[in-house]
Amino acid sequence: MCSSKESPFVVMKYGGTSVSTAENWHVIGDIVRKYKCEGLKPVVVCSALSGMSDKLETLIKRACAGDRYEKTLEEIKAAHRDLAEKLGLEKTDKTTLENGGPKGSTNITNIDKNDENSGRESLKKTGCESLLAKEFEELSRLALGISLTGDAGAKIRARIMAFGELMLTKLGAAFLQSKSLSPVWMDARRMLTARNDPRVSELQQYTNAVCSCEQNTELIQKLNDMFFTKKASASAESSSPRSADLVLTQGFIASNHAGETVLLGRGGSDTSAAYLASALGALRCEIWTDVPGIFTANPYEVPEARLIKTLDYEEAQEITTSGAAVLHPRCIAPLRDANIPLLIRCTHTPEMSGTTISKEAKEVSAHVKCISNKSGVLLVSMDAIDMWQQVGFLVEAFSVFKRAGLSIDMVSTSETNVTVSLDANIQALEGKTIDALTAELSEICTVRTIGPCAIVNLVGRHIRTIMHELGPTMKVFEEKRVHLVSQASNDLNFSFVVDEEEAPRLVKKLHELLLEEGGGGYMFGPSWRELFDRHETVKRTEVLAWWNHRTQELLNIAQEGTPAFVYDRNTLHERIKDLNGLRAVDRVLYAVKANWHPPVLQEIEKAGFGFECVSIGELEHLDEVFSIGSNLDPKRILFTPNFAPRREYEYAFELGVHVTLDSLYPLVAWPEVFTCREILARLDPGQGRGHHKHVHTAGAHSKFGIPQSDFEELAQRSKENDTHVIGLHAHTGSGIRKPGNWSETALFFTRLMNLFPETKI
């Protein structure tokens, strides 16, 4: 049995948006080459072209209705011809599909269940028409048959829906082969077999199948044989087998024990990748999509949503089942059971680290990680006065749902009422189905339906232990209709069912209160806006990943000795440019404690920025680098000590820098040091903010700043001592992401102008 930590297999799933452009296929090829150099064995799982599954559904519907399905059929073919042209496949001189293994660099290995005994086949035509001739012909034939019979059973439906992935992967394999890679094209139906479950309907067996998750030693050996490396002599080089660089297969499809095509449900490519990773005991499973991970909310609706860097399996399961569309919920369990890490990455920005889901990510601290919204929810409320202490009512009621083929999501009970939620996203809630359900339920209770609704979920860990912190945020539900409240027994979520149109606004407000102003910490990365909502997105992405382009230089530096700190001048200039572009900021001061490296400080000084120092050591360092008073204007330096001794204040005044008074004590104990001096006063506005409670630097429990109870005494002693307060200073916290903090602090200072009338900076 192969341990995932020892396995060389990496299963990589690429979704529809990731396989629909030539640019993305170049990225896929680059990633495969990178992994190959690392000694890994990539298994690439692909979805169909973006929107192709919908087109195939339309083809089935039109053929069944006797409508002109030929137009849809031609659109399907045209989409693949268009991609083939963009991939440059129409220029290919010859494409060879080979059974049994690579025989040379110009061959794509094709292990196809339906062609197992067909032997070697050289296709004389080129490009899409050659590669997909069989698929185009069979799809046309099946559509014609449906149009003649007016019926598409579950078996035929599954066969037709599988064509999207089958056709796409053949084009992908041909492209990768044309780029000097050696791909093995495998039919997923030869690797994944669905379980036979007599409890589910025929439709579910063919269109929403479940596969085994056990490790498959036979499959491991089969793929290892494809990836073998064999040294050939010069005389035999042209005929020697070539090791495969990757296995390319399909998501979404599998076979049953009869060898028939079955589907894993819409969005099932994620699940395919998880099944294969489990079967291979893979090192990791990667989901490549159009977003760089799971965010604290839907980033398309909440641009301030932040990347979640790590999740454990249980948290990820809750987030995906409660509305996050980036990952299919069914893909998590196979990986959790096999203890295989799951990485979510973005094809457009492959250098971003994304989200990692693993057992190691489990945390014990209480927190909210995500605010999600799942629409398409219908509530069924059942009232019965005689329900109280009635034995078997729930069994009888839930049996009605079972007979209707409906799965219950949430349940809320009282002595006389049971309310359940049904999710339209995973089951068809057609009018006739609901009518039949309510008719049967009416025989045992008074029933009514409520909808359309949405579930707003607070997902995190140990939610019950932070209810006191969540309390103030509940005001957002004021004057809103909350139909149902649920707190999960696993202590991972807190859910509210509301009217569907109210959910987006509630999510935004809850996210602002819980995850923008006070939530966060090391578990969160940058916000969606920070990552993408800039006019120089591509340029900035390249700058952020400068080390990826200068690997050899870094390795050469490391040869001289480590640890070594390396800074990129272009990145520094980019950050300086960003700060200079802030029109609302009058001047910028760089915190020397962030980086004291002299060349870095020199670049910052050239940009016209000033400096902030918090210790005498930092002042001395600036003096050594620049010579304060000669080459650096002391008025460009702000000294902000905290609990500093007398000599530090005296030294700062001798240099002529701006000095901040952080406490009333120095003015009381050493008034002569401040006589006839100009100072800034650091004041505590009474409320701290930031990305975590431990970085809040204002409020009753903070050591920073003069408390409000001392403001009048500060003003009085300054006047008596001839000390001039020319500036006011406040620091409420770190990682503050809401602009409201700045305006509130400005208004706070404005109200103090009468106490400190000499304020000018």
Side-chain angles (χ1 to χ4, degrees):
M1 191 70 72
C2 179
S3 166
S4 64
K5 292 186 178 180
E6 302 168 355
S7 173
F9 292 108
V10 174
V11 178
M12 309 151 64
K13 176 263 178 178
Y14 290 90
T17 56
S18 297
V19 297
S20 296
T21 67
E23 293 80 5
N24 285 348
W25 274 104
H26 281 284
V27 172
I28 294 171
D30 290 342
I31 295 170
V32 167
R33 290 186 183 90
K34 177 176 180 289
Y35 287 178
K36 178 188 172 186
C37 291
E38 295 173 0
L40 299 173
K41 300 177 180 179
V43 178
V44 177
V45 179
C46 293
S47 298
L49 274 171
S50 183
M52 186 52 56
S53 294
D54 290 335
K55 285 187 179 296
L56 289 166
E57 289 273 16
T58 301
L59 177 68
I60 295 171
K61 290 178 181 178
R62 288 188 171 178
C64 283
D67 199 353
R68 289 182 57 84
Y69 70 86
E70 293 87 355
K71 179 181 178 182
T72 303
L73 181 62
E74 183 54 37
E75 289 174 356
I76 292 169
K77 294 179 181 180
H80 290 89
R81 293 188 190 107
D82 181 59
L83 178 61
E85 183 177 356
K86 290 176 180 176
L87 292 174
L89 299 180
E90 301 298 341
K91 302 174 183 177
T92 305
D93 294 329
K94 183 178 180 181
T95 301
T96 303
L97 299 181
E98 182 84 26
N99 286 311
K103 300 295 183 184
S105 61
T106 60
N107 296 334
I108 304 167
T109 298
N110 171 35
I111 300 182
D112 185 339
K113 181 168 187 177
N114 299 317
D115 289 337
E116 191 163 8
N117 301 311
S118 63
R120 186 165 181 163
E121 175 190 5
S122 294
L123 301 178
K124 303 302 181 182
K125 297 180 182 179
T126 62
C128 186
E129 296 299 332
S130 172
L131 288 167
L132 304 183
K134 191 187 88 169
E135 285 76 13
F136 283 176
E137 190 277 329
E138 185 178 354
L139 187 59
S140 301
R141 181 163 42 83
L142 289 172
L144 175 61
I146 294 172
S147 70
L148 294 174
T149 62
D151 179 54
K155 186 186 301 186
I156 297 298
R157 181 180 295 271
R159 285 181 61 187
I160 289 179
M161 294 300 296
F163 278 103
E165 280 70 18
L166 292 167
M167 292 188 292
L168 183 281
T169 50
K170 286 197 173 180
L171 295 181
F175 170 77
L176 294 174
Q177 180 266 329
S178 73
K179 297 303 176 183
S180 302
L181 286 167
S182 181
V184 173
W185 185 94
M186 284 192 72
D187 191 323
R189 294 169 292 188
R190 298 202 59 176
M191 295 187 283
L192 297 177
T193 304
R195 295 172 181 167
N196 183 24
D197 188 351
R199 297 172 300 174
V200 301
S201 66
E202 181 185 50
L203 179 63
Q204 286 182 297
Q205 289 184 31
Y206 280 99
T207 62
N208 201 27
V210 176
C211 295
S212 172
C213 300
E214 289 78 25
Q215 197 169 113
N216 187 331
T217 54
E218 182 180 344
L219 181 62
I220 291 172
Q221 184 60 52
K222 187 174 187 178
L223 267 62
N224 273 326
D225 290 343
M226 296 173 186
F227 281 101
F228 72 91
T229 302
K230 181 177 180 180
K231 293 184 179 179
S233 63
S235 60
E237 185 175 355
S238 61
S239 61
S240 296
R242 178 181 175 181
S243 173
D245 294 325
L246 73 150
V247 168
L248 184 65
T249 190
Q250 309 80 35
F252 185 49
I253 66 174
S255 64
N256 58 20
H257 288 281
E260 299 167 322
T261 300
V262 298
L263 309 177
L264 303 183
R266 290 299 290 266
S269 292
D270 291 350
T271 311
S272 296
Y275 285 152
L276 282 173
S278 179
L280 295 171
L283 177 68
R284 62 179 181 265
C285 180
E286 300 177 353
I287 303 295
W288 290 82
T289 181
D290 57 353
V291 295
I294 296 177
F295 282 73
T296 53
N298 183 346
Y300 295 113
E301 296 178 356
V302 185
E304 299 303 330
R306 299 171 63 189
L307 177 68
I308 305 175
K309 293 190 285 189
T310 61
L311 287 167
D312 64 44
Y313 297 110
E314 288 74 23
E315 289 173 324
Q317 188 78 55
E318 287 293 334
I319 290 173
T320 55
T321 54
S322 62
V326 67
L327 196 64
H328 197 286
R330 278 175 55 182
C331 79
I332 296 173
L335 300 173
R336 178 198 62 211
D337 295 344
N339 193 22
I340 296 173
L342 173 61
L343 281 62
I344 305 174
R345 307 284 294 277
C346 181
T347 315
H348 310 305
T349 53
E351 70 281 353
M352 291 185 183
S353 57
T355 299
T356 299
I357 300 169
S358 69
K359 183 175 68 175
E360 284 71 24
K362 195 162 187 173
E363 302 171 45
V364 295
S365 60
H367 51 255
V368 173
K369 277 194 174 181
C370 180
I371 315 291
S372 64
N373 164 26
K374 181 165 65 175
S375 58
V377 173
L378 179 72
L379 294 182
V380 180
S381 177
M382 296 165 280
D383 290 293
I385 296 177
D386 56 352
M387 186 190 306
W388 185 62
Q389 293 188 343
Q390 180 181 337
V391 177
F393 175 82
L394 286 178
V395 172
E396 189 175 359
F398 287 179
S399 295
V400 178
F401 287 89
K402 181 180 179 180
R403 286 192 291 273
L406 296 173
S407 173
I408 292 172
D409 189 9
M410 297 170 59
V411 181
S412 174
T413 65
S414 70
E415 293 182 351
T416 60
N417 175 270
V418 176
T419 300
V420 302
S421 69
L422 303 176
D423 186 356
N425 299 290
I426 59 174
Q427 55 194 332
L429 301 183
E430 300 174 348
K432 60 181 181 181
T433 302
I434 299 303
D435 290 343
L437 175 75
T438 55
E440 189 171 355
L441 285 173
S442 296
E443 298 177 6
I444 58 172
C445 63
T446 302
V447 60
R448 63 190 177 98
T449 59
I450 306 169
C453 296
I455 302 176
V456 175
N457 290 283
L458 279 60
V459 182
R461 184 158 292 281
H462 304 309
I463 299 290
R464 281 192 289 269
T465 65
I466 55 173
M467 293 297 287
H468 60 289
E469 297 179 17
L470 299 179
T473 67
M474 296 301 103
K475 289 189 67 176
V476 303
F477 293 98
E478 188 176 9
E479 298 182 1
K480 309 294 183 187
R481 294 178 62 192
V482 179
H483 302 289
L484 189 152
V485 178
S486 173
Q487 207 281 312
S489 58
N490 60 11
D491 207 8
L492 290 173
N493 73 37
F494 196 26
S495 305
F496 304 84
V497 180
V498 298
D499 292 334
E500 195 170 65
E501 67 272 13
E502 298 287 353
R505 290 189 292 271
L506 289 169
V507 168
K508 289 180 181 179
K509 190 61 180 176
L510 285 168
H511 189 274
E512 177 183 331
L513 293 172
L514 293 172
L515 294 169
E516 292 175 34
E517 294 189 353
Y522 64 90
M523 70 189 78
F524 293 152
S527 71
W528 178 266
R529 189 186 301 279
E530 290 171 323
L531 287 172
F532 294 109
D533 191 18
R534 297 183 184 233
H535 66 283
E536 294 182 323
T537 300
V538 176
K539 181 179 177 183
R540 288 181 57 80
T541 299
E542 293 174 349
V543 170
L544 286 169
W546 65 268
W547 51 86
N548 288 334
H549 308 294
R550 303 178 68 180
T551 305
Q552 192 56 53
E553 291 179 70
L554 293 171
L555 291 174
N556 293 339
I557 292 171
Q559 293 298 318
E560 301 174 11
T562 58
F565 295 89
V566 182
Y567 308 105
D568 180 65
R569 196 179 302 273
N570 290 334
T571 300
L572 181 59
H573 289 166
E574 191 69 25
R575 300 291 85 75
I576 289 172
K577 180 181 177 181
D578 286 347
L579 290 171
N580 274 325
L582 296 175
R583 292 175 295 175
V585 176
D586 184 54
R587 72 186 77 177
V588 177
L589 303 180
Y590 180 77
V592 176
K593 66 181 179 181
N595 192 324
W596 55 266
H597 191 49
V600 172
L601 297 178
Q602 289 163 357
E603 294 294 333
I604 289 169
E605 191 277 333
K606 287 178 187 177
F609 293 176
F611 299 95
E612 188 228 18
C613 300
V614 297
S615 70
I616 192 172
E618 292 177 6
L619 286 173
E620 291 171 340
H621 182 64
L622 280 183
D623 195 24
E624 181 180 341
V625 174
F626 297 107
S627 183
I628 298 174
S630 298
N631 299 325
L632 179 62
D633 184 353
K635 296 306 179 184
R636 290 172 63 186
I637 302 172
L638 175 66
F639 181 49
T640 313
N642 183 243
F643 293 101
R646 173 175 178 151
R647 64 184 181 87
E648 294 198 12
Y649 289 104
E650 292 174 335
Y651 178 73
F653 281 128
E654 289 173 11
L655 288 176
V657 303
H658 289 299
V659 176
T660 298
L661 191 63
D662 186 64
S663 165
L664 192 59
Y665 175 81
L667 188 60
V668 175
W670 319 306
E672 63 277 10
V673 174
F674 301 92
T675 301
C676 298
R677 298 288 191 183
E678 292 183 340
I679 64 169
L680 286 83
R682 176 165 167 171
L683 308 179
D684 184 348
Q687 181 181 6
R689 290 191 174 92
H691 65 268
H692 193 279
K693 63 182 179 182
H694 294 308
V695 298
H696 293 187
T697 52
H701 302 290
S702 174
K703 66 177 182 178
F704 301 102
I706 301 170
Q708 297 186 22
S709 58
D710 290 344
F711 287 177
E712 292 190 5
E713 184 177 354
L714 170 64
Q716 183 62 32
R717 286 184 179 272
S718 298
K719 184 177 181 180
E720 293 172 354
N721 196 53
D722 197 20
T723 301
H724 308 281
V725 179
I726 64 167
L728 302 179
H729 177 199
H731 180 31
T732 54
S734 299
I736 299 171
R737 298 173 178 271
K738 299 297 292 182
N741 179 73
W742 303 100
S743 58
E744 290 175 18
T745 303
L747 290 172
F748 166 72
F749 287 153
T750 302
R751 292 192 293 268
L752 297 173
M753 295 301 291
N754 290 333
L755 274 179
F756 306 104
E758 295 182 274
T759 298
K760 58 184 178 182
I761 59 173

